[in-house]
Amino acid sequence: MRTLRVVAFGLAALVGCRSAPAPEPPPKTTAQAPDRVAPAPAPAPAGGETFDFVELVTGGASRGDRLPLVIALHGLGDRPAAFARAFDGFPARARFVLPHDDATYLDGFAWFPPGDRESPDAARRLSDMSGRLVRFAEALAKERPTAGRPIFTGFSQGGALSLVTGVLHGREIGAAFPVGSFMAASLVPSAAPPGNAPIEGFHGLADTLVPFGTTSERYAALRAAGFRATIHSYPGVPHQISGEERADWFSALARACGEASK
């Protein structure tokens, strides 16, 4: 079993691109509430896939409560404790688990190397890591008192993973909420399996690192295949999370947490 490395707060949040990537700001948010619960280190689950991670609970909950489990996945070059800031003031009772893999990138971590997002290798890496994360979530849900099936969300590379998880493992999770996401066209199935979880995405129209147009095409293809896939767009927003986008994201996540708690 891996031992948990305590993750320091950092500021980098990057996204893979075809040219040499450069540091960029973390997901920016506005009007954060003052009641943030600091993420706490936690041991890895006893079985299945293991990742180092930090854990936080929201909405006034205690760590021993039975709660919806939200797997929140950072972007390229970010760290879980830094990405945890994006959930400041989240209103619903939930358990957020923010893992990272061993691969490093600049001052943070990577889920997979940056590069051509449409290549067979990129599709394979997304698919493989998605499967690992689902097994991790399933093992963690048995260790923690958990309500409902795991919910996946993330930004940039983490958004891509949450999107692919919703597509490839939609019968094993409760919902997926990708932010600033992407996915290789080859990963779009010809038909959605019955009972697949809903996918609700969020994306800035001024995003030049992960262009909205390509991601929107993937969502359209998913809908044509029978997936419950919707995406919200935000004029003038680059590869960041605006206040309006964050409010919509929180609302969707909170709704899913409420459904899981029933």
Side-chain angles (χ1 to χ4, degrees):
M1 182 187 301
R2 300 179 186 175
T3 56
L4 179 71
R5 293 188 291 272
V6 177
V7 183
F9 283 98
L11 294 177
L14 313 176
V15 60
C17 53
R18 295 175 186 267
S19 58
E24 62 177 72
K28 290 185 178 179
T29 60
T30 58
Q32 295 184 348
D35 61 343
R36 187 175 71 83
V37 179
E49 291 283 351
T50 59
F51 293 86
D52 294 342
F53 63 97
V54 295
E55 177 179 355
L56 61 90
V57 298
T58 59
S62 298
R63 291 182 68 185
D65 292 345
R66 180 175 176 269
L67 298 168
L69 173 62
V70 180
I71 305 298
L73 307 172
H74 64 77
L76 177 64
D78 203 0
R79 294 174 174 265
F83 186 46
R85 296 173 180 171
F87 303 101
D88 284 359
F90 183 72
R93 289 167 54 86
R95 185 187 316 279
F96 283 82
V97 167
L98 300 96
H100 71 80
D101 198 22
D102 289 338
T104 59
Y105 189 87
L106 298 181
D107 293 329
F109 299 98
W111 293 111
F112 44 86
D116 185 352
R117 304 186 191 109
E118 297 297 327
S119 71
D121 184 58
R124 178 186 59 79
R125 290 178 184 277
L126 270 168
S127 176
D128 290 351
M129 184 60 72
S130 172
R132 288 184 59 197
L133 287 164
V134 168
R135 293 191 293 274
F136 165 74
E138 290 174 339
L140 194 65
K142 295 176 182 177
E143 294 269 325
R144 304 288 195 275
T146 300
R149 291 181 293 176
I151 297 163
F152 273 68
T153 192
F155 173 74
S156 194
Q157 276 200 353
L161 281 167
S162 57
L163 174 57
V164 169
T165 299
V167 172
L168 301 184
H169 300 278
R171 301 179 72 176
E172 300 156 79
I173 70 171
F177 299 98
V179 185
S181 65
F182 55 90
M183 184 177 75
S186 62
L187 289 175
V188 177
S190 58
N196 233 50
I199 301 169
E200 187 170 355
F202 308 85
H203 210 114
L205 289 179
D207 191 336
T208 58
L209 292 176
V210 181
F212 172 79
T214 302
T215 301
S216 179
E217 289 174 4
R218 299 290 179 270
Y219 274 78
L222 290 172
R223 287 192 297 273
F227 286 87
R228 292 179 289 164
T230 59
I231 187 167
H232 306 279
S233 60
Y234 299 87
V237 176
H239 197 62
Q240 296 172 355
I241 303 174
S242 70
E244 180 186 4
E245 186 176 9
R246 182 173 181 263
D248 292 345
W249 181 34
F250 271 22
S251 178
L253 272 172
R255 185 172 62 252
C257 289
E259 290 294 322
S261 296
K262 290 180 179 178

